[in-house]
C-alpha cells in the first residue's frame, strides 16, 4: 500500500520532469498547486505554466502514470487556471538549476500595473554563463514563447531567458 501522506505524494510528483526544461520537475516549477488526500482518494491540483502550453497534456499523462506506478490508483487531476501561474512560483533552487542549465532565470514577475513598461525592459538580464549584464535581446521568442533569445557581448554566446510573467 502506497503511503498516503502529502509529503510522500509530493516526492512521487518530483519524478515528473517539466517537458520543456528537463532539469526541473513540476514541483520545483510550482506547477503542482496542492495535494489533497481523503481516504484512498487523492486529488492533485495543477496549474499550467502558461495558457495554451502544449506540454500540459504531457504533464497530466505523466502524473497519472507515475502515480499508478507507485501504487496510487484513485487519483483525480484538477487543473486550476486562476490565479494564473507566474514565474514567482518557481523555487529559488529551480531558478539556480535553470541558470546552470544555460537559461537565464526569470526576474521578479511584473505586477499587472507594470505590464505596460515590461516589453522593452530586459536590460538587466544576466548571462547564465559568465554573469555579465552586457547582454542584448536578439529575438522576443526563443524555442518556446515563454523564452526570449539573448546574446552575451562579454562571452559571445547566445542564451535563452525565461521571461517573468
Ligand atoms: Zn556571457
Amino acid at each position: 500500500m502506497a503511503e498516503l501522506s502529502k509529503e510522500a505524494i509530493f516526492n512521487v510528483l518530483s519524478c515528473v520532469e517539466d517537458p520543456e526544461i528537463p532539469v526541473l520537475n513540476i514541483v520545483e516549477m510550482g506547477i503542482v498547486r496542492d495535494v489533497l488526500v481523503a481516504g484512498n482518494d487523492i486529488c492533485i491540483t495543477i496549474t499550467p505554466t502558461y495558457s495554451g502550453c502544449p506540454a500540459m497534456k504531457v504533464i497530466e499523462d505523466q502524473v497519472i502514470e507515475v502515480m499508478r506506478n507507485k501504487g496510487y490508483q484513485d487519483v483525480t487531476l484538477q487543473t486550476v487556471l486562476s490565479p494564473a501561474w507566474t514565474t514567482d512560483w518557481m523555487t529559488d533552487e529551480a531558478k539556480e538549476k535553470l541558470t546552470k542549465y544555460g537559461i537565464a532565470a526569470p526576474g521578479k514577475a511584473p505586477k499587472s500595473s507594470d505590464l505596460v513598461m515590461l516589453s522593452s525592459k530586459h536590460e538587466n538580464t544576466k548571462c547564465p554563463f559568465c554573469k555579465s549584464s552586457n547582454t542584448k535581446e536578439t529575438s522576443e521568442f526563443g524555442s518556446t514563447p515563454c523564452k526570449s533569445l539573448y546574446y552575451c557581448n562579454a562571452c559571445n554566446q547566445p542564451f535563452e531567458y525565461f521571461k517573468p510573467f
Side-chain angles (χ1 to χ4, degrees):
M1 185 67 208
E3 195 190 330
L4 287 166
S5 76
K6 219 167 161 163
E7 199 189 353
I9 293 163
F10 265 104
N11 280 338
V12 172
L13 295 173
S14 302
C15 304
V16 180
E17 293 170 348
D18 184 278
E20 289 177 354
I21 308 161
V23 286
L24 296 180
N25 67 57
I26 59 171
V27 175
E28 291 170 319
M29 283 292 285
I31 291 171
V32 178
R33 200 74 171 268
D34 202 7
V35 171
L36 287 174
V37 183
N40 287 327
D41 296 327
I42 298 161
C43 180
I44 299 168
T45 306
I46 56 176
T47 295
T49 46
Y50 58 98
S51 54
C53 178
M56 215 49 212
K57 179 78 183 102
V58 179
I59 292 175
E60 288 172 11
D61 290 346
Q62 283 187 347
V63 165
I64 297 290
E65 196 189 322
V66 89
M67 290 296 286
R68 294 237 163 99
N69 287 345
K70 296 282 181 183
Y72 298 98
Q73 295 304 323
D74 301 312
V75 179
T76 311
L77 261 188
Q78 192 185 10
T79 304
V80 171
L81 298 174
S82 177
W85 184 89
T86 94
T87 43
D88 283 352
W89 293 9
M90 292 170 76
T91 61
D92 289 342
E93 207 182 8
K95 289 180 182 173
E96 207 171 290
K97 279 194 196 172
L98 198 62
T99 307
K100 282 193 184 131
Y101 185 58
I103 299 173
K108 193 102 183 89
K111 295 190 199 89
S112 49
S113 56
D114 298 337
L115 276 176
V116 188
M117 32 188 306
L118 171 71
S119 46
S120 59
K121 287 274 177 188
H122 292 310
E123 59 275 270
N124 288 328
T125 301
K126 279 191 187 148
C127 169
F129 306 112
C130 71
K131 315 286 178 226
S132 168
S133 300
N134 184 10
T135 60
K136 63 169 190 284
E137 189 179 48
T138 51
S139 168
E140 199 185 333
F141 298 108
S143 58
T144 64
C146 62
K147 297 185 216 105
S148 52
L149 282 182
Y150 270 74
Y151 190 80
C152 176
N153 296 318
C155 68
N156 296 314
Q157 288 188 81
F159 66 93
E160 287 187 309
Y161 174 56
F162 200 120
K163 291 184 265 192
F165 62 93

